[in-house]
């Protein structure tokens, strides 16, 4: 019974956070709404039981990947508007951390569509950092990281197309 209650609460919290985040992009970003969205996403993540072996563990892990993706996107957007250097560094670290966690979870479950979306956002983040950089070496480093993300995506793409081809052969 507790597993079912936790699952439903996790689902409701996640859906509410998604709605709030999507509406904040349309209505314009206010600090209170952003704080509420972040709070709801963190609550939804805490409700994802990733350690207990239950029938919903895979679903919790997939949802955690989606939540980390949304958190990464949230911090990515915040990075674009941040003006303070200390806040930018912290936001960048949080953005990278959440994108990486999302990428790892989605890749492990072979959720290729969502994985590619996260990878494209990671590449866009590195391009943003390269464009903002005035140091040539730092600019090149950011572009190299973007290329590495692209290369990771292409490897998964090859695995995906090979799996799809195998599936077609079985039919």
């Amino acid at each position: 019974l507790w597993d079912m209650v936790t699952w439903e609460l996790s689902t409701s919290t996640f859906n509410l956070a998604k709605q709030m985040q999507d509406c904040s992009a349309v209505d314009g970003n206010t600090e209170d709404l952003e704080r509420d969205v972040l709070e709801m996403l963190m609550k939804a993540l805490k409700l994802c039981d990733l350690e207990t072996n239950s029938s919903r563990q895979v679903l919790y892990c997939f949802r955690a990947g989606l939540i980390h993706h949304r958190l990464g996107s949230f911090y990515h957007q915040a990075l674009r508007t941040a003006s303070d250097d200390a806040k930018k560094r912290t936001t960048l670290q949080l953005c990278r951390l959440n994108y990486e966690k999302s990428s790892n979870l989605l890749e492990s479950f072979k959720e290729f569509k969502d994985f590619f979306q996260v990878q494209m956002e990671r590449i866009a983040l590195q391009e943003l950092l390269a464009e903002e950089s005035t140091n040539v070496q730092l600019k090149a480093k950011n572009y190299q990281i973007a290329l590495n993300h692209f290369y990771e995506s292409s490897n998964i793409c090859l695995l995906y197309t090979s799996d799809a081809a195998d599936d077609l052969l079985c039919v």
Side-chain angles (χ1 to χ4, degrees):
L1 182 63
W2 182 248
D3 183 47
M4 190 173 6
V5 169
T6 304
W7 174 254
E8 291 300 324
L9 184 58
S10 170
T11 301
S12 299
T13 307
F14 177 60
N15 287 333
L16 180 59
K18 283 187 348 183
Q19 290 295 329
M20 289 171 65
Q21 188 175 26
D22 293 345
C23 288
S24 72
V26 173
D27 295 339
N29 293 335
T30 63
E31 289 182 24
D32 291 338
L33 188 56
E34 288 177 353
R35 187 185 68 246
D36 290 343
V37 167
L38 188 58
E39 191 176 298
M40 292 299 289
L41 286 171
M42 295 304 287
K43 281 182 185 178
L45 187 60
K46 285 180 184 176
L47 288 167
C48 289
D49 186 7
L50 304 176
E51 296 179 14
T52 304
N53 280 337
S54 71
S55 60
R56 293 191 173 100
Q57 185 180 17
V58 172
L59 296 173
Y60 278 129
C61 290
F62 175 65
R63 179 171 292 157
L66 295 178
I67 293 170
H68 281 295
H69 176 211
R70 285 200 168 255
L71 286 168
S73 295
F74 177 86
Y75 289 122
H76 191 162
Q77 181 61 32
L79 184 66
R80 291 181 181 160
T81 59
S83 56
D84 180 29
D85 283 343
K87 186 176 180 177
K88 268 189 169 184
R89 279 192 298 274
T90 303
T91 304
L92 177 60
Q93 288 174 341
L94 289 169
C95 183
R96 284 181 171 160
L97 175 70
N98 282 291
Y99 276 153
E100 184 177 344
K101 285 181 178 182
S102 177
S103 178
N104 291 338
L105 284 167
L106 295 171
E107 182 183 10
S108 70
F109 289 109
K110 297 187 179 187
E111 291 294 333
F112 300 115
K113 178 185 167 268
D114 295 313
F115 172 77
F116 288 135
Q117 187 174 358
V118 172
Q119 289 297 90
M120 293 301 109
E121 289 182 29
R122 291 173 83 184
I123 291 168
L125 173 66
Q126 293 308 132
E127 288 175 342
L128 174 71
L129 294 173
E131 289 171 5
E132 289 181 350
S133 176
T134 56
N135 183 337
V136 175
Q137 291 174 333
L138 190 57
K139 193 177 282 260
K141 180 182 175 187
N142 284 313
Y143 281 129
Q144 183 63 45
I145 293 170
L147 284 172
N148 288 341
H149 293 319
F150 183 75
Y151 182 71
E152 291 170 12
S153 300
S154 66
N155 286 340
I156 296 300
C157 184
L158 292 174
L159 288 173
Y160 176 69
T161 54
S162 120
D163 285 349
D166 290 344
D167 290 345
L168 287 175
L169 290 174
C170 291
V171 173

